[in-house]
Amino acid sequence: MELGEVRETRAWQAVRRHPQLCDAALALAVLVPVILAVRRGGHGEEPRMLGTADLTAAAIGFVAITFRRRYTLAGLILTTFATILFTVQQGDRQPMLMIALVLLFFTHAAWADRRTAWLTAGCLGTVVCLSGVIWAGGSWYAADNLGALAWIGMATAVGDATRSRRAYVAEVEERARRAEQSRDEEARRQVVEERLRIARELHDVVAHHIAVIKVQATGAKHILHLRPEQVAPALDHISRSSDAVLKEIASVVGLLRSSDDLDGGEAPATEPTRGLARLSGLLDDLAAAGLRVDHRRLGEARELPALVDLAAFRIAQEALTNAQKYGDGTARLTVAYTADGVTLDITNQVRPDVPRSGSGYGIIGMRERAASTGGALTAGPDVNGRFTVHADLPSADLPPRDHAERLNARAVDGEQVLS
């Protein structure tokens, strides 16, 4: 059962639907025994008839209790002055009015703020007590006066405690609602991030292989009649590329479905596939598609964190695929292993006759991959007509702040970064 959910009985539901009718029943329940006690008289006394004052006090008490929720303060003031009036006329307090006063003080304290409730109780209680001292002929410490103050104070305290508990429950329910809303928002945010990651992964996987397939298919079409003996190798390469893209998509989809396929067994490994180790295969595919890549490696190759390694491979794959689409058939790839991490530089000459029909998601995806590792990526053309992609990916053992400081230091030293 969730917080704030109460299993209500039929009686409680009836009270919530008809509060004023229930207050009228409450008035009868507390006033009828008092009326019978007044009529019966004290011990050893003969029963007496109820007088006009008794009936008037009972009527005022009944009306005050019945409308105690709607006209709380007005009923409280009216009952207090009625109590004083009867004390002046009869020299004693009417018990029916005192019972109504106790219930009204409780109701007022249960809904008013604490300062107002106690200030009202103190003022009206003092007036009731002074009326007994002045007109009832008793001292301020008489049992009737102290008893009236005690009942008024107790009713106010119970009402204040009821209000505090109701406010506490409301606050707890509000916190629970906010916490549940925050959990829902966090879940939605994670879903959006996962969708973006999947879309980026599929784009990187499919775009490269489809570009290779397109180039091979176009080449096979042109040489079909002139050199038919060269068509078979092109078709073989198309078949291998198609098989590779299907396997990549199957691995991504399998990762998505793995949470539903687990039946108490061990969870499959979700660590990204190592990236730069597959760089030679990528360059072979591109060479078969007609892109000559001048590959250079600076520094001693070492094992990188899985996220950095995969990001480096995907950035190189996307940048070289764009070079194949829009370049002149040549590109330069430099992979530099530094103390900070790894740096990628991909440069290619852009053909002026090629229209820019891309969506731009490739560059956005490369930037997001670099940002996911704590690094940075810049991409854009220079004055010589070359398109350059520069990615600086930090190693996991270097704090992000230190890496950012080193990037800033390099910028100050004069390193040119394309925006």
Side-chain angles (χ1 to χ4, degrees), residues 340-354:
D340 299 357
V342 63
T343 300
L344 301 177
D345 286 288
I346 303 97
T347 305
N348 66 277
Q349 192 73 28
V350 180
R351 299 199 314 269
D353 58 333
V354 176

Side-chain angles (χ1 to χ4, degrees), residues 302 304 307-313 315 336 338 340-344 366 369-371 373-377 391-396 403 407:
R302 67 178 187 276
L304 297 171
L307 183 62
V308 176
D309 199 12
L310 180 62
F313 175 76
I315 290 172
T338 65
D340 299 357
V342 63
T343 300
L344 301 177
M366 289 191 294
R369 285 193 178 278
T373 65
L377 182 141
D392 200 337
L393 309 180
S395 179
H403 183 73
L407 288 178

Side-chain angles (χ1 to χ4, degrees), residues 208 211-220 223 230 233-238 240-241 280-293 324 329:
H208 164 69
V212 172
I213 291 173
K214 179 182 177 181
V215 171
Q216 292 290 339
T218 303
I223 65 176
Q230 296 183 4
L235 294 179
D236 290 338
H237 196 83
I238 290 175
R240 288 195 301 271
S241 298
S280 58
L282 172 65
L283 297 179
D284 292 339
D285 290 341
L286 293 170
L291 179 65
R292 298 188 304 275
V293 180
Q324 181 188 19

Side-chain angles (χ1 to χ4, degrees), residues 12 21 77 88 108 123 174 234 236 265 357 372 391-393 407:
W12 181 247
L21 184 61
I77 296 175
V88 172
H108 184 257
C123 294
E174 177 63 20
D236 290 338
S357 58
S372 67
D392 200 337
L393 309 180
L407 288 178

Side-chain angles (χ1 to χ4, degrees), residues 93 124-134 139-140 145-146 148-149:
R93 297 187 183 92
L124 296 183
T126 301
V127 172
V128 171
C129 183
L130 287 178
S131 66
V133 173
I134 296 174
S139 60
W140 64 270
N145 294 328
L146 292 180
L149 286 178

